[in-house]
Amino acid sequence: MTAPIVVAGASMAGLRAAEQLRAAGWDGPITLVGDEPHMPYNRPPLSKEFLAGRASLDSLAFRTRAEVRDVRWRLSTRVVRAALDRRTVELDDGETLPYRGLVVATGMRPRRLRCPGPLAGRHTVRTLDDARGLREALTRPGVRVVVVGAGFIGCEVAATALALGAAEVTVVDPLPLPMAGPLGELLAGALLRRHEQRGIRFALGTGVTAFHGDDKVTGVALADGRVLAADVVVESVGSAANTEWLEGNGLDLSDGVLTDEQLRVGGRPDVIAAGDIARFPNARYDGVPRRVEHWSIPTDTARHAAKVLAAHLTGTDAGLAPFAPLPTFWSDQHDFRLQSFGAPALGKDDVRVLDGDLDGDVLVGYHRADRLIGVVALGGRAAAAAAARHRAELLKQPSLTA
């Protein structure tokens, strides 16, 4: 019996990898292993539409395409160990699976604050079950919410909590501005003003030292001495890669899984990575390996990696250029949207307003060596459309490593 391709991780990246393996010509068996009980679903709405009650589970679930209906699904199951030299993975139920090829798509998990105090009342937003629990907590009358972390998820959850009727919403972050990492100071400042105008409070430039309460959180103690009253705390303080099962195989797991320019892991042609766990060099910019946690990355990585793996297993030449995606992200907050194409974080030293006004619809360009490498729009549909018009220009630009 032919050993399957094992896809470790049954979220969006794993599903797209299975689909793309079929599209690339692999007609052998495929087994997807995932620790959640749910079939793959769309995660971005968890902090917005689903949390707000405007989206159902059915609307989040990805449609299962005909070409992957013969895939074997192992849900509510984790991969706990891999022996790459023996081409086997071990599951948490004790079963050992041999494989012809392995797709590393186990993704990320939320980091948690290591502060003294009760756990009850503290939430993260990564899974469907996380969002269900948080929604139940947020819909209680007069709830006071503290969001720790002013990144994408933190800002989205804060906006949603306010829309659900929270009495108070405060965002805490050690940085001086929300989303300063991906946006830079100019646009982050405009974002802060918009949130404050809509009623969100901020405690910036400080961190959390402890949680107050006996059995459940009642307050959040800050490093600057303040204590914020809280019925609900949302921890949005970054992610950790689910790589423990790969330890002992000589891989670089210092930040996700290091791959080469073809998304191969550890120089092995039969092991590839897909999704936000992959740390890959992008020749479009500087070739420095980085992880990218944007919605477009699971599909982009799966498409390329599947072709590489299928070509190896079928003995054909994929003839692929190095993987060089154009990152894309968007974030809906209150009644406005952030829309980005390219790599703005790499051009934060040279930021220019390309169109509009920082207090209205605005399009901002990010430059490196005087070359536009990313755009971010903030505002309504017109601003998002202005950003989209730059996508073709960014795609046409030659690689910086050429």
Side-chain angles (χ1 to χ4, degrees):
M1 181 178 178
T2 303
I5 291 178
V6 172
V7 181
S11 191
M12 183 182 182
L15 174 63
R16 296 294 181 243
E19 293 170 347
Q20 293 300 321
L21 283 165
R22 290 286 187 246
W26 173 256
D27 57 5
I30 300 174
T31 299
L32 272 91
V33 182
D35 59 357
E36 289 191 67
H38 313 289
M39 291 289 284
Y41 57 87
N42 199 16
R43 293 188 190 275
L46 294 181
S47 56
K48 302 182 285 290
E49 294 91 346
F50 184 82
L51 189 60
R54 299 193 305 270
S56 65
L57 173 58
D58 288 343
S59 70
L60 298 187
F62 291 120
R63 179 176 60 87
T64 302
R65 299 177 182 176
E67 57 266 31
V68 294
R69 286 179 185 159
D70 63 342
V71 164
R72 182 189 182 201
W73 293 88
R74 295 294 308 275
L75 301 178
S76 299
T77 305
R78 288 189 305 114
V79 178
V80 296
R81 193 169 295 104
L84 302 188
D85 289 337
R86 296 197 300 269
R87 294 183 182 174
T88 62
V89 294
E90 183 180 334
L91 310 184
D92 61 357
D93 62 5
E95 182 179 1
T96 296
L97 299 178
Y99 64 79
R100 286 278 312 276
L102 177 63
V103 180
V104 177
T106 41
M108 314 297 291
R109 64 181 181 275
R111 293 188 185 277
R112 301 302 300 262
L113 292 170
R114 297 181 178 179
C115 299
L119 289 173
R122 294 164 56 184
H123 299 259
T124 60
V125 184
R126 177 69 182 181
T127 69
L128 178 62
D129 293 338
D130 290 341
R132 281 174 169 164
L134 178 57
R135 175 170 169 75
E136 181 181 349
L138 290 178
T139 51
R140 295 168 186 161
V143 70
R144 298 163 300 179
V145 181
V146 173
V147 179
V148 185
F152 287 99
I153 301 298
C155 287
E156 290 170 359
V157 168
T160 303
L162 193 69
L164 285 170
E168 296 176 4
V169 181
T170 305
V171 179
V172 179
D173 199 283
L175 294 178
L177 292 168
M179 294 184 62
L183 299 181
E185 293 184 4
L186 183 70
L187 202 55
L191 182 68
L192 174 63
R193 291 192 293 274
R194 294 180 193 226
H195 276 284
E196 290 179 328
Q197 289 166 1
R198 287 158 177 81
I200 303 292
R201 304 175 182 180
F202 285 83
L204 299 172
T206 189
V208 174
T209 58
F211 296 102
H212 288 193
D214 296 324
D215 299 325
K216 185 179 181 296
V217 169
T218 60
V220 180
L222 305 183
D224 62 10
R226 286 180 288 172
V227 177
L228 305 176
D231 305 298
V232 177
V233 173
V234 182
E235 298 177 36
S236 181
V237 292
S239 302
N242 295 315
T243 57
E244 291 81 1
W245 62 281
L246 288 165
E247 292 174 356
N249 288 285
L251 305 177
D252 183 340
L253 306 176
S254 56
D255 179 20
V257 179
L258 178 65
T259 78
D260 65 11
E261 72 283 354
Q262 300 292 1
L263 297 172
R264 293 173 296 216
V265 175
R268 297 173 181 269
D270 58 339
V271 183
I272 52 95
D276 49 11
I277 197 171
R279 177 162 50 100
F280 58 89
N282 190 336
R284 184 178 296 279
Y285 304 112
D286 51 16
V288 174
R290 298 182 179 90
R291 288 191 313 99
V292 181
E293 294 188 42
H294 296 334
W295 186 85
S296 61
I297 287 299
T299 298
D300 290 344
T301 52
R303 181 181 297 114
H304 189 96
K307 291 177 181 177
V308 171
L309 181 56
H312 166 68
L313 295 179
T314 58
T316 59
D317 181 9
L320 295 174
F323 182 58
L326 182 74
T328 301
F329 73 75
W330 76 90
S331 179
D332 293 320
Q333 303 172 24
H334 301 290
D335 54 351
F336 55 82
R337 166 172 283 199
L338 283 158
Q339 175 73 65
S340 172
F341 297 95
L346 301 182
K348 290 187 295 183
D349 290 337
D350 186 356
V351 182
R352 312 171 196 174
V353 174
L354 302 180
D355 189 30
D357 183 271
L358 286 168
D359 292 322
D361 283 3
V362 65
L363 178 67
V364 175
Y366 297 77
H367 302 76
R368 199 182 209 187
D370 207 36
R371 186 174 93 161
L372 182 72
I373 62 169
V375 295
V376 180
L378 173 59
R381 292 184 176 181
R389 286 194 290 272
H390 285 270
R391 182 174 182 272
E393 174 189 350
L394 292 167
L395 280 170
K396 290 177 183 177
Q397 289 179 344
S399 166
L400 282 175
T401 62

